[in-house]
Amino acid sequence: MKIHGGAKYANDKKKILIVDDSELNRSLLSDMLAGEFDIMEAENGMDAVVMLQEHELEISLMLLDIVMPQMDGFEVLAMMNKKGWIKNIPVIMISAETSSSYIDRAYDLGAVDYISRPFDERTVKHRVTSNYMLSVKQREMAEMLSTQVYEHERDNRLMVEILSHIVEFRNGESGLHILHVSTFTEMILKHLLTITDKYPLTPAEIKTICNASALHDIGKMSVPEAILNKPGRLTREEFEIMKNHAADGEKLLKDLPYRRNEMLIKISCEICRWHHERYDGSGYPDGLKGDDIPISAQVVALADVYDALTSKRVYKDSFTHEKAVQMIQNGECGAFNPLLLKCLDDIKDKLEKELHEVSPEHKMEQSLQVNVEQMLKSSGSDLSDRTIRLLEHERMKYRFYAQLSHEVLFEYFSSPEMIKLSEWSAEYLGLPEKIINPRESDFGTRVFSKVDFNRLMTRMAETTPENPIVEEKYLLNIRGQNKWNKVIVQTLWSDDENPKFDGALGKLVDVNNETEEMQQLEQLADHDALTGLLNHQAAKRKISKLLSDAGDKKYALLFFDLDNLKVANDVHGHLFGDTLLKTIADRMKNNTRASDVCARMGGDEYIIFMQYNGDPEPQVKRIFNCLTKPLDGFDVSISMGIALAEHFCGDYDALFHMADQAAYAVKYSGKNSYKYYNQLVGVSDKTEA
C-alpha cells in the first residue's frame, strides 16, 4: 500500500485510491492524476479494504481493477456494499475485460463508470473529474436535504409538544407525563417486535405512534377545569363528563380542515378515542375487546396507566416503580394484552432507568435525529447517518484509549477480520500493527492459545449493544514468556434497527505479578504452615468436589490422631514433637497418590481421603503400618477410623462424622489400631493390633 502526495497538499487535494495488482498500471494512472489528486495505492483487494477501513472519510473516489489475487474487484465491491462505503465513494472499474457480463456485474454492484485498458489520458482525467464532481454535488444536496428535513421534522414535533404541554398545564400534570408516555410506548413496541410477529410494525410506524401518543389526552381541553383538577374522588356524574374526553379528542382531530388523512392524524385519532379501552372489554367509550383495540391505543393505555401510578397527582401520591408494575400485572388497573404485560415484565428494570434519566431536551433531539435519519435512508441518502456513526465510533475509540496507558491496545474488525495494534503494542508484542486473519496468525495462535482466542471471539459475539463489555483472564505468551493478562474488550455494533456486531476495542493488562501473588496467598491460606498439608477447610472443599463427581468411583476417608504426642513433647521436648508431626505428614504423602487428599486437621489430628477398588483393606493396612513405624526409637501410636463414601450419599460431613466415631471407638478399646464404621451396628469388628 502506498500514499503519494506530501503534507503540503493535504488540504488542497482530494484522495483517490487506485487498486490494481499491476504496479505499471498503478504508476500510469498515478502519473495521469497526481496533478489534481493525492494518490493512494493498493496492490490487491484485501489491501484496498484495509485502506478503506482506515481512510473511509478521506477517500473521494476509487479506481478498481477486477482480476486480482487474494480478493478480486467484485469481492471488493461486495464488501463496500456490506459496509455502506459504496454509497459515498464512487468506484470506477479499470480492466481489460470488455465483456458485457463483467460490465453489467460491476454496475449491479454499484460501480459508477468503467474504463478499459489501454488507458487514454484524456478519457481517464475526464471520467475521474466528472464522477468526482458529481459525487461532491450529491453530498452537498444530501447535506441540504438533511438540514431541510431536520428543520421540518423539528417544527412538526415542536407543535405536537406545544399542544400536549397545553393539555398537561391545564390538567395540572407533570411536564414529563407526555415524555414518559412516549418513551414507555417506544420501548414496549420495540420489545414487542422481538417476541412476536403478530404486530408487524415498521420503525416509521413505531415512531409515528410515539409522536401521536403526545396527543392522547387532547380531548381534555373540553373538560371543565374544576373536574380536571378536583383533589378528591369524582362523582358518578363528573366521571361521565371526564370520560367524554376520549371521543372529544378524536372529534377535535378529525375536524381539522386539512391533512386529516396523514398517518400521524389517523393514529392520533385511534389513540385519543381508545386509550381507555381494556383488553377484556371493560373500558370506554366503545367497550372494544382484545385486538379490536388498535395496538397503538393498547400500548399508550398501558403507558398512561403506568405513568399515572408513578406520578403525583392532586388526588393521590405516587407509587414506586415496583408497586406500579405489580398493580398492573395483578389487574388492579384493568385488563391488558398478555403480550404487552410480558414486555413490561421483560424490560421493567431498563424502563425504570430510562425514565429516570431521560430529559425533555434529550428526548426531543433524539427523536428528531431518528426521524431525520429514517427519512434520509428512505430517500436514498444516508450521508448524515454515516458521518454521525463514524464520528461516534471515533469518539468512543479515543475516549476508551485515552483512559489507557502503556497497555497493549488493539482494535478488532469483524469483516474482513483484522486486528490493528497501537504502535507501542505492536513493538511490545513483536508483531506488525495490522494483522489480517488473526485467528490463524501469531496473535491468535502464539500470543493467545488457539483455544483461548476462539473463546474470546465467542464471548465477544455473545455480547449485546446493551452489554458490550467482555473481561476475562488468560495466560498469554508475551515475547516468549507466559504471563497472566486481563483482557478487556468493548464490542462495537452497527447503528440501525437490527444492530450487527462490527468489531471491538480492547486492551491487554499485565496482571501476572498480582495473579502469582494471589496464587501464593491462596496456597498459604489452604495449607498448614508446619506440615505443608492441606488444612481442614481446603481439604473439605476438595473432597466435597470429588464426592459430587464420584460417579461409580469408591472413596474411603481415614481419620486418625497420635496417641502419644503429649509423651513425645514431655519426654523429648516440643522440637521433637514438631518433628513427629512433620514426619507423619511426610509418611502420608509418600504412601498415597497425587490424586488422594492428605490434610492436617489441627493439633495431632489428620485425614486421608483415597480412592479404592474392591476391598480397601490392603491399602488401609499398608498406610497404617507405615504411619506407626518408630521414629528415632520412639514408638509411634495412632488411633484411626475409616468410613466408606459409598455408604453415605457423598456427604462430607456425614462421612467425617462416621470416621471420627470409628476412631473414638479405637481410643476406647486400647488405641494403636483402626476400625471401620458400620452403619448397622455402629462399628465393625475389623481391627489391626
Side-chain angles (χ1 to χ4, degrees), residues 646-666:
E646 60 185 309
H647 297 155
F648 313 119
C649 303
D651 181 77
Y652 172 80
D653 290 328
L655 195 64
F656 175 79
H657 173 70
M658 294 171 185
D660 182 45
Q661 281 193 322
Y664 272 104
V666 174

Side-chain angles (χ1 to χ4, degrees), residues 43 56 144 147 233 264 347 416 423 440 450 453 465 488:
E43 63 184 20
E56 179 183 352
M144 186 183 303
T147 302
R233 193 178 190 87
L264 177 64
I347 68 169
E423 184 178 355
E440 304 300 327
K450 196 160 189 173
F453 191 70
I488 305 173

Side-chain angles (χ1 to χ4, degrees), residues 574-592:
H574 285 281
L575 288 177
F576 180 79
D578 287 347
T579 299
L580 176 58
L581 293 171
K582 288 189 284 186
T583 299
I584 291 296
D586 291 340
R587 290 175 178 178
M588 291 168 66
K589 288 184 281 189
N590 292 334
N591 288 278
T592 55

